[in-house]
Amino acid sequence: MSDETPICSAKGCRTAAVWVLAWNNPKIHTPERRKTWLACEEHREHLSEFLGVRGFLKDVVPLEEWERSGS
């Protein structure tokens, strides 16, 4: 990650991210591949639902934990 504060992936949101939503699209990604969206508190549930309905959501992890694990 850069020195810039990570921001939420929700359209138009400029709030600092505190969650990582790890996902993949099984039609185009290998099972172990993880793409990520970042989310603020306000948008975590909405973004999780969006990915979950499609069967893409694999994990929701606090950003600090994700960065510590080096994922």
Side-chain angles (χ1 to χ4, degrees):
M1 293 216 153
S2 70
D3 290 337
E4 294 182 27
T5 301
I7 61 166
C8 181
S9 298
K11 186 175 182 177
C13 185
R14 305 299 297 162
T15 304
V18 292
W19 295 97
V20 173
L21 286 62
W23 63 277
N24 85 4
N25 179 341
K27 291 181 181 180
I28 60 175
H29 301 126
T30 59
E32 66 279 353
R33 173 99 189 262
R34 292 294 180 265
K35 306 271 291 175
T36 57
W37 281 357
L38 301 177
C40 64
E41 287 292 345
E42 181 181 350
H43 292 111
R44 182 184 66 92
E45 186 174 335
H46 171 73
L47 294 173
S48 294
E49 285 179 20
F50 180 90
L51 292 168
V53 164
R54 290 156 180 79
F56 295 175
L57 187 62
K58 302 301 178 194
D59 206 2
V60 178
V61 180
L63 179 59
E64 287 182 8
E65 183 179 322
W66 184 267
E67 290 175 333
R68 278 195 308 269
S69 71
S71 296

